[in-house]
Amino acid sequence: MKVIYTDSLVIGGGLAGLRVAIASMQRGLDTIVLSLVPAKRSHSAAAQGGMQASLGATIKGDGDDEEVHFADTVKGSDWGCDQDVARMFVNTSPKAIRQLSAWGVPWSRVRRGDREVVINGEKVTITEKDEAHGLITARDFGGTKKWRTCYTSDGAGHTMLYAMDNKAIQMGIPVHERKEAIALIHEDAVCYGAIVRDLITGELIAYVAKATTIATGGYGRLYAISTNAVISEGIGNAIALETGIASLGNMEAVQFHPTAIVPVGILTTEGCRGDGGLLLDKDGYRFMPDYEPDKKELASRDVVSRRMTEHMRKGKGITSRYGDHLWLDITLLGRKHIEKNLREVKEICEYFLGIDPVEEYIPVRPTQHYSMGGIRTKATGESPNLKGLFSAGEAACWDMHGFNRLGGNSVAETVVAGMIVGEYVADYCAQNSLNVSTSTIQHFMKQEEKKITDILVRDFGENPFELKAEMQKIMMDKVGIFRNGDDLEKAVEELKVLNQRAKHVALRNRISSSNPELVEAIRVPKMIKLAQCVAYGAQLRTESRGAHAREDYPERNDRDWLKRTLTTWKDESADLPELTYEDLDVMKMEMPPGSRGYGVDNTIHHPDTGRREKQIEEIKEANPGVDRFELQKLLNPIAIPEKFKGKNERIGRGFK
Amino acid sequence: MSDQERVLKFQIFRYNPQKKGDKPRMVTYELKEAPGMTIFIALNDIREQQDPSLQFDFVCRAGICGSCAMVVNGQPTLACRTLTSNYENGEIKLLPLPGFELIGDLSVNTGKFMRAMSERVESWIHDHNADEVNFEMLEERMDPDVADKIYELERCVECGACVSACATKRMRPDFLSAVGFMRLARFALDPRDKRTDEEFYEIMGDDDGVFGCMTLLGCEDYCPKDLPHQTQIAYLRRKMVLIK
């Protein structure tokens, strides 16, 4: 049995995983990163638009700060997020971006003087301040009050990931590439690493560690059409679920991005609309102002996606052999802007659609994009049930996004979570010793070996590629943008059948080394379980919140549903996961639930909401003259690692 | 795009070094073309329907991550964004990228190569203060044009097309190649990197470095991101010549 020991094992080499590894290494721990692919190819690289941090250097970000970013994030989440986490996040994000700047990200900068921008379809001249010249600039994104999304042209994720991986290389952090964690090792509700399959040799290796961090990204590929990379299959989430101990949070919270190209589902960044692009229907008519007169194309993603779907259902979509779509018009931005700030978009249009977006409209429709759900963790990033298991980034339900994530808050989260969780991982490693018995390691190793052998010796059985395609179709058709009880019930039943069938997978290519069919056979049963968590969670949540939109329960119901779904799979032979719920405590919220300001507000309120609002007023009255930092502490004191506690400086206002 | 279905003929290099007794060979697969079909879609179709052992690498499938460079009808390119309709006679020959360790079939180990390249050129900001920076304070300013120029050179996706298209690399196994030069040019341009020209000379001032380049410029011809390799190699060479 091959065993590799380390202090801090990180599964996933994207932005979140690398940042956790860097934090571990900075604290003198032995650290190993496992990755399916070379780290620089991780899905983080695909983030085009940018990262939200309230630097407030551009004139259109004037007046921005942590409070405004916090309010946007909480509203965006439809009050489903953990406000402690959102608060930590907004306070740390400016530090994250500045650190990345020192580490080499060539963030686009403010240029003093006049420049022409497109706002609400009109060309407008804005004047950047002299004193802001050379500081990190920002663009507009959906659901935000200020221009807060910092960017590098439209390659923000790429430059961030390159800077982060370069930093990891500088520090000598080993990244073990083409390795897949297929099971966690645990004993007495403590996690001690993972059983890992080498994707080239097929060898199983036990990576034994004090702390294990899962940073494997989202589960977008449960859906047939997704903007996600093909490796975003949720396997990190699944191995946590399969412990029977760790829980997943809010798996039904799945975001659809308004503008992926048709048919292949590749993303065109929200920056297209942030920079002034418009959505048009088959008549060339700009329809979003009719639905959302205030934020128009820049309403929150879940809102825009639903409005687009509604509009297509009215027969206003453009029909194509791949189904209906709408147009994204960026022609009004002009060639110079597109070739500089939206170049990836231009390349994608040229290569995949054969069109020039400077001259022609882009065919788009809402497409699966982001997984708000994931491994449930405390604010420290640690699983509340399985000690020593941490998670960060999209893989986690740290719960910064609740039921809808704001554009620009995902890459921001990866880095910020990496910083914060990384410190807690290091604390954990310092305080705990490695106490796992060899027989436990052997038990998990044997178990995985047996599963693989069983697959390899089976003569007849299910085709894993077909099972996956069936699952993806069910998710697409029945657990999509708009959901209803009938479809969800069917989805849950059909997935149960798939789960049973997945126990009898057989291969045509029966070798244990490098073998894509075996990879699929190992992953697909895990993916089906995750799909069941999503579908079942969606079926039971009889309200609409953020991206979870029930046609049969259109109102947000704080009274009964201001809670987080927790999913576990305790009994391996069961054909459904177990769901429980965790209440969100309104009495601790800095921002009690209110209206997001879209459409009709039909919220069923929580009985505590009024009480908390009154209490907040009383606290404010009792403490006249306190500044925003003191007030925040009075309303909801939270713990932030010492390193990241400080206030953030901005031009024109210092540290105020 | 024509709606008429045609049958594509793929000739694909097959060899699995993990499998005892396996021999390199070309295998032909036929496949019905679909509208908008890319080589990504075609290869997955072949794997799912015809031969589940076929190995290849895709991650983003959107031309962003650089995983899928391979030789398509004699030319290195990103397979994911290559439309099958580009090939008039419907015959497509796929070979793994030369110059890299073969994993199997069309899959090569670019990751190992690129990590070694990054270590060799020390692909990070050299500044003793970078770790001490007080990130509560305003970031160091940068001229907006300089930031844009750095990004221009940082668009490399480490796909390896330049390495595979480089004749010098064939003759000199340790030749740094265009991907390494581009990285050096990027850091040489960055005011945050405090390395001197002499320090850069130590990295690239020999025949395995910028003086070895024969200026055949396969890198320039085949870079899927249209990076200015010719200009940057010339720039680095001049910069290095001026030192000694």
Side-chain angles (χ1 to χ4, degrees), chain B residues 85-108:
Chain B
S85 58
N86 293 349
Y87 302 94
E88 269 180 24
N89 64 2
E91 288 186 16
I92 298 171
K93 192 179 193 178
L94 302 178
L95 294 166
L97 215 53
F100 298 93
E101 180 184 303
L102 182 76
I103 290 174
D105 303 335
L106 301 171
S107 171
V108 293

Side-chain angles (χ1 to χ4, degrees), chain A residues 35-36 176-179 197-200, chain B residues 57 103 107-108:
Chain A
S35 181
L36 294 174
H176 293 192
E177 294 173 6
R178 295 179 190 263
K179 300 277 191 296
R197 182 168 177 271
D198 184 313
L199 293 174
I200 298 175
Chain B
D57 293 320
I103 290 174
S107 171
V108 293

Side-chain angles (χ1 to χ4, degrees), chain A residues 237-500:
Chain A
N237 293 343
I239 61 173
L241 180 71
E242 285 181 337
T243 60
I245 301 168
S247 56
L248 306 181
N250 286 344
M251 289 297 282
E252 65 271 33
V254 176
Q255 181 176 77
F256 289 75
H257 193 290
T259 60
I261 63 169
V262 178
V264 286
I266 294 171
L267 181 73
T268 59
T269 171
E270 186 151 323
C272 291
R273 283 169 292 131
D275 290 0
L278 305 175
L279 291 168
L280 308 177
D281 66 13
K282 68 172 182 184
D283 305 318
Y285 176 72
R286 184 185 176 198
F287 57 92
M288 275 309 292
D290 294 354
Y291 294 100
E292 298 297 340
D294 187 23
K295 290 294 279 184
K296 308 176 183 75
E297 282 84 357
L298 288 173
S300 251
R301 282 181 181 170
D302 59 324
V303 177
V304 179
S305 288
R306 281 197 293 277
R307 296 308 199 182
M308 289 169 75
T309 308
E310 265 181 83
H311 202 62
M312 286 190 281
R313 284 178 176 181
K314 288 179 187 163
K316 294 292 183 182
I318 297 91
T319 40
S320 81
R321 57 186 300 156
Y322 301 105
D324 288 359
H325 66 79
L326 293 159
W327 298 119
L328 171 63
D329 171 17
I330 60 170
T331 60
L332 69 167
L333 306 183
R335 182 172 297 278
K336 201 176 145 209
H337 181 89
I338 292 171
E339 288 185 349
K340 177 160 172 273
N341 285 321
L342 297 170
R343 182 159 43 184
E344 295 293 342
V345 172
K346 186 164 184 281
E347 273 188 17
I348 286 165
C349 288
E350 285 166 351
Y351 281 99
F352 293 94
L353 298 168
I355 64 162
D356 178 1
V358 176
E359 309 277 343
E360 292 165 88
Y361 298 161
I362 309 168
V364 294
R365 73 172 157 228
T367 301
Q368 193 291 334
H369 181 60
Y370 189 80
S371 314
M372 274 78 72
I375 298 168
R376 177 66 188 133
T377 74
K378 300 183 276 191
T380 57
E382 190 180 12
S383 163
N385 325 94
L386 187 55
K387 242 184 108 188
L389 176 69
F390 291 79
S391 184
E394 191 175 351
C397 180
W398 195 30
D399 216 359
M400 184 188 128
H401 308 300
F403 276 76
N404 175 62
R405 170 178 71 76
L406 292 185
N409 260 356
S410 70
V411 276
E413 184 198 25
T414 61
V415 181
V416 170
M419 291 163 84
I420 292 173
V421 174
E423 292 304 318
Y424 288 117
V425 166
D427 289 347
Y428 180 87
C429 289
Q431 290 155 10
N432 291 276
S433 53
L434 192 55
N435 257 328
V436 60
S437 64
T438 315
S439 61
T440 299
I441 302 170
Q442 218 155 24
H443 161 78
F444 282 99
M445 178 64 97
K446 287 235 158 75
Q447 191 172 297
E448 293 311 305
E449 272 169 2
K450 181 173 184 317
K451 280 187 203 162
I452 291 172
T453 312
D454 286 351
I455 294 171
L456 288 172
V457 300
R458 195 172 287 131
D459 288 325
F460 303 100
E462 298 283 348
N463 175 332
F465 296 106
E466 281 171 14
L467 287 176
K468 183 168 158 184
E470 285 182 46
M471 170 201 69
Q472 289 174 326
K473 188 165 173 6
I474 295 168
M475 295 302 284
M476 206 68 198
D477 294 346
K478 303 189 174 90
V479 199
I481 297 179
F482 283 106
R483 301 165 174 183
N484 63 69
D486 290 344
D487 281 347
L488 289 169
E489 193 185 338
K490 279 183 209 148
V492 168
E493 288 309 312
E494 289 167 14
L495 289 168
K496 265 189 204 170
V497 176
L498 284 189
N499 177 325
Q500 289 304 318

Side-chain angles (χ1 to χ4, degrees), chain A residues 41 98 101 104-105 111 131 133-134 136 158 166-167 173 178 226 230 322 340 343 347 514 649, chain B residues 35 55 59 61 65 67 110 115 123 131 136 138-139 141 148 152 154-155 158 186 192 225:
Chain A
R41 312 220 186 285
R98 285 170 172 161
S101 183
V105 175
R111 188 187 306 272
E131 63 267 32
H133 187 76
I136 297 170
H158 170 87
N166 287 337
K167 185 74 193 169
I173 295 172
R178 295 179 190 263
S226 166
V230 297
Y322 301 105
K340 177 160 172 273
R343 182 159 43 184
E347 273 188 17
S514 186
E649 190 186 8
Chain B
Q55 296 182 55
V59 178
R61 62 79 174 88
C65 76
S67 299
T110 49
R115 169 99 183 195
S123 168
D131 284 324
E136 291 160 13
L138 291 185
E139 64 277 10
R141 288 166 199 264
D148 290 348
E152 284 305 304
E154 184 151 303
R155 294 178 65 249
E158 296 192 350
R186 177 246 174 274
R192 294 169 295 192
K225 293 287 158 185

Side-chain angles (χ1 to χ4, degrees), chain B residues 148-163:
Chain B
D148 290 348
K149 279 183 197 151
I150 296 169
Y151 177 62
E152 284 305 304
L153 307 188
E154 184 151 303
R155 294 178 65 249
C156 168
V157 294
E158 296 192 350
C159 68
C162 59
V163 179

Side-chain angles (χ1 to χ4, degrees), chain A residues 627-643:
Chain A
D627 67 14
R628 63 188 180 100
F629 305 102
E630 290 159 338
L631 180 64
Q632 193 272 319
K633 269 187 206 145
L634 288 168
L635 293 179
N636 184 26
I638 51 156
I640 298 185
E642 201 56 42
K643 281 186 183 174

